[in-house]
Every structure is written in structure tokens, then in C-alpha cells.
Amino acid sequence: MKITEIEAIPYSIPYRKPLRFASGEVYAAEHVLVRVHTDTGAVGIADAPPRPFTYGETQDGIIAVIRGIFAPQLTGLRLLEREEIHARMARTVGNPAAKSAIDMAVWDALGRTLDVGVSELLGGYTDRMRVSHMLGFDTPEAMVAEAEKMREVYGITTFKVKVGRTPYTLDTAVVRALREGLGDDVELYVDGNRGWSASESARAMREMADLGLTFAEELCPADDVLGRRWLVTQCDVPFIADESAVTPADVTREVLGGSATAISIKTARTGFTTSSRVHHLAEGLGLEIVMGNQIDGQLGSVCTVAFGAAYRLTSTRAGELSNFLDMSDDLLTEPLQIRGGQLQVRPGPGLGVEIDPEQLERYRTDR
Ligand code: MUC
Ligand code: MG
């Protein structure tokens, strides 16, 4: 059960349809596949998506920190020494996607070794989650058409709408068109990725007061401390902290300080180990959780559903599990299927998925 090698493999897969939002845009999945090899032959896998505009990591940086710092520090440790693995990575500040991918690949290798699914190892609450689809910036017509397609083809009835443009009426017009076009049965919530000021956010939320939104997420920067706290008191729906509250300490600070009333957990930035700690904290604080999407491919979405389905609180709300549909291709031997608006945890040991060697050969960028 000892770690013998950790690989970091860069690859690039174009998006069929780029995703645009207030803090950036994504045209290609330029991610890093992480493989943790062990002396029993079990190999754990996970994906690291760099998000320079949110967390500062780049594809090259993820590879450098894994090869240069984490791999030498972790090689030789047993898979069950998860707390020691966590502590050694925690000596290095930042690098959330690199750390998380190693953490999740270790859990995958452990599940494969023990012949148990990771979701069961974590909590085993259910075997599926409802899916929420994230709609990037476009015209009202195009965003309504995309949502209608997602509902018709995949049965998805929950949508997160990207907002945060100037003027804010560009976005409020979209949300109104979605409510009018899709009716009252769909769930809608908005994510500003810090694009608006507190006062613009408050105005926009007032203008959308009749649209039955479920949540508002990161409408303005959490660093505008007083403005953000003021905004949260103005909102009559839970205000989700996403990129402003990654670690348990961030969540404690933001929530107790009045800057958020719900949280997003993304396994791409807190893996399974730190996500568990954030989940337990949220449970203690009585916060709702939405399982978020760091613009994940299929492997990342497998990790999100494995974690989200493991606990009651993380599986109550629809998880953001469908944006891999916007990619032109992927790496798994068996593509994920969303049916009836739900994504199932993959059965089988570990994460229950395999990388297709030919697909990896085709898209890796280090050869
Ligand atoms: C989100 O919820 O903010 C956009 C950037 C990122 O890292 O995640 C997405 C979605
Ligand atoms: Mg967000």
C-alpha cells in the first residue's frame, strides 16, 4: 500500500462551446492528469484544473509543484497515512488544485486496493445526485435555448446562471427570460464571480425579486468587507460563498463575519480530505451546501458526485455536474451519462473509472 510514484501529465481538450463568466473564460480544458502509483499495482487517478483567474495556479505550475515538491515528500508513505499526506502537502502554501488531485488519487488508489468505492468509504449516503447546469454569458435567447436543450435531452431542471456583467440589466434580462421561457418548475440561481459592486448586486437582486431565485453566489468581492456584509443582509435567499471560502478557516471567517450564509464545496480545490472537513464544519454551522463545478471534465465530475453523494447535506441540493458536456472530447473509457436529470456514482472500486490510453496519448501535451 505504499506510494511509489506520482505522475503529473498535462493535456488539452478544446471546448465545443467556451464558458464565459465575470472572472474569466475557458476555451480548452488545459488540465493535469495525476496518477498515484503504489507497490501493490493499484493506481489512483484524479484531475487538476488550473484556474489562474481564481486561485493563481497554472498548468505548468501544477506540474512543477507536484514533480518538484509533493512527489518527493509523499513517495514511500502508505495510502492509509492520509493525515500525514495532508500535513506534508499543507507545508506548502496555496496550490489547491495540485494538492486536491493528489489527495483524490490517493483515495482512489485506496478504494481500488480495498475493493471499495470511494463514495462508500467517505460516507455512502446515496448513489446519485440531481444535476445543476451552469449557463455561461450569452444572449437571453441563446441561454434559454441551451437550458431548454439541457432539460429536453438530459432532464436537467436546475440552472446556475452566470451574472456580473455591466450593465447588470444584461444579466437580469437573461434571468427573466429563463423564468419566462422555462416556467416555475425549474430552479434558478445566480453566480456573479465578484463582477458587481455591492450596490449593483443589491439593485439587481431587487429587480429579480419576483423570479423565485434559490441562491445568490459571490455577487461582489468578499474583500469589499463591509459592502459584502451589507449586501448579504439585503438578500432574502442564502448567499453562497464560493471562491471566497475554500478552506475550513475561510468558511468560518466569512460565515461568522456575515459575508455568506451558504457554501459551495468543490472537490477540485479541496479534494476529498479537506472537503470532508468543510462539510463537517458546514453541518455544525447549519449551512446549506451546493457541490460546485470548477469547470471540470468527466474525471473531475466523477469526483464531485462521489463526494456529494457520500453525505446527506451535500446531496440535498443539485450538484454542478454537467459542464463536461461542453467539451469536445474526454479521457474516460466509458463516458458519463446524465439521465433523468441525475448523475450516478460509478460503481466499482475507487472512483470506478479508467483513463483510455489512446485518448490520453491523443491529448497529452508533453510529448
Ligand atoms: C463557479 O462556480 O464560479 C468559474 C470559475 C471557476 O473556478 O469555477 C467556475 C464556476
Ligand atoms: Mg461560483
Side-chain angles (χ1 to χ4, degrees):
M1 274 213 209
K2 274 193 181 155
I3 298 172
T4 52
E5 186 191 351
I6 300 179
E7 281 182 284
I9 304 168
Y11 67 90
S12 177
I13 301 178
Y15 267 77
R16 202 179 294 133
K17 185 177 151 302
L19 183 73
R20 297 193 176 84
F21 43 96
S23 54
E25 49 200 1
V26 173
Y27 294 93
E30 291 175 337
H31 297 186
V32 180
L33 174 70
V34 173
R35 288 203 283 219
V36 170
H37 296 257
T38 64
D39 60 357
T40 63
V43 181
I45 53 174
D47 198 40
R51 297 288 162 250
F53 39 77
T54 316
Y55 309 103
E57 288 172 289
T58 62
Q59 195 181 38
D60 288 345
I62 287 173
I63 291 167
V65 79
I66 290 177
R67 290 186 187 158
I69 299 184
F70 296 144
Q73 288 186 359
L74 303 180
T75 302
L77 289 180
R78 292 184 314 119
L79 294 174
L80 284 169
E81 291 181 273
R82 294 194 310 275
E83 193 67 5
E84 180 62 23
I85 293 170
H86 179 77
R88 289 196 189 181
M89 288 200 284
R91 287 183 203 152
T92 301
V93 172
N95 296 282
K99 290 175 181 170
S100 297
I102 291 179
D103 175 75
M104 293 190 287
V106 165
W107 278 89
D108 183 34
L110 183 61
R112 288 170 196 260
T113 308
L114 302 176
D115 201 21
V116 182
V118 162
S119 197
E120 283 185 284
L121 270 180
L122 287 164
Y125 179 69
T126 178
D127 65 352
R128 67 198 63 213
M129 285 184 75
R130 278 191 304 125
V131 173
S132 164
H133 185 70
M134 201 155 61
L135 297 165
F137 292 163
D138 211 325
T139 60
E141 299 72 35
M143 290 171 75
V144 172
E146 188 186 344
E148 279 172 342
K149 185 180 109 192
M150 289 293 152
R151 183 165 66 173
E152 199 180 309
V153 179
Y154 302 103
I156 297 173
T157 55
T158 303
F159 298 95
K160 167 152 117 173
V161 190
K162 287 298 194 185
V163 298
R165 287 178 286 191
T166 302
Y168 69 82
T169 47
L170 284 173
D171 297 322
T172 54
V174 167
V175 182
R176 190 161 296 281
L178 285 164
R179 179 57 82 207
E180 285 169 1
L182 299 170
D184 288 338
D185 292 342
V186 299
E187 265 185 53
L188 299 175
Y189 58 110
V190 290
D191 181 3
N193 289 112
R194 302 159 278 138
W196 288 330
S197 66
S199 59
E200 276 173 314
S201 308
R203 247 177 282 141
M205 288 303 287
R206 273 200 297 277
E207 200 170 303
M208 295 187 287
D210 60 327
L211 299 180
L213 296 180
T214 319
F215 297 111
E217 177 172 323
E218 294 286 359
L219 297 183
C220 71
D223 284 354
D224 296 347
V225 180
L226 294 183
R228 171 79 168 246
R229 289 182 191 172
W230 169 83
L231 173 64
V232 171
T233 65
Q234 307 287 303
C235 281
D236 61 1
V237 291
F239 194 101
I240 297 175
D242 174 12
E243 56 267 40
S244 62
V246 173
T247 65
D250 297 334
V251 172
T252 307
R253 225 174 356 247
E254 295 305 306
V255 171
L256 296 188
S259 292
T261 46
I263 58 159
S264 168
I265 291 183
K266 292 181 175 173
T267 50
R269 68 176 179 214
T270 37
F272 294 139
T273 303
T274 305
S275 293
S276 302
R277 291 171 146 101
V278 173
H279 159 264
H280 298 325
L281 173 66
E283 201 174 42
L285 291 169
L287 302 171
E288 286 197 73
I289 296 175
V290 173
M291 289 304 300
N293 187 314
Q294 203 154 299
I295 322 179
D296 297 300
Q298 297 197 17
L299 181 53
S301 304
V302 163
C303 290
T304 305
V305 75
F307 185 86
Y311 305 101
R312 185 194 56 77
L313 182 56
T314 48
S315 57
T316 302
R317 291 292 180 180
E320 296 163 8
L321 294 162
S322 57
N323 283 82
F324 67 83
L325 295 169
D326 294 338
M327 286 169 62
S328 60
D329 205 354
D330 217 305
L331 298 180
L332 301 188
T333 50
E334 279 179 62
L336 299 189
Q337 304 286 346
I338 296 172
R339 292 202 188 92
Q342 297 188 329
L343 182 65
Q344 280 196 282
V345 174
R346 277 299 177 88
L351 293 167
V353 291
E354 304 294 340
I355 298 296
D356 183 329
E358 283 175 21
Q359 289 292 86
L360 182 58
E361 212 46 52
R362 181 162 174 212
Y363 291 112
R364 66 190 294 172
T365 52
D366 58 346
R367 294 228 164 110

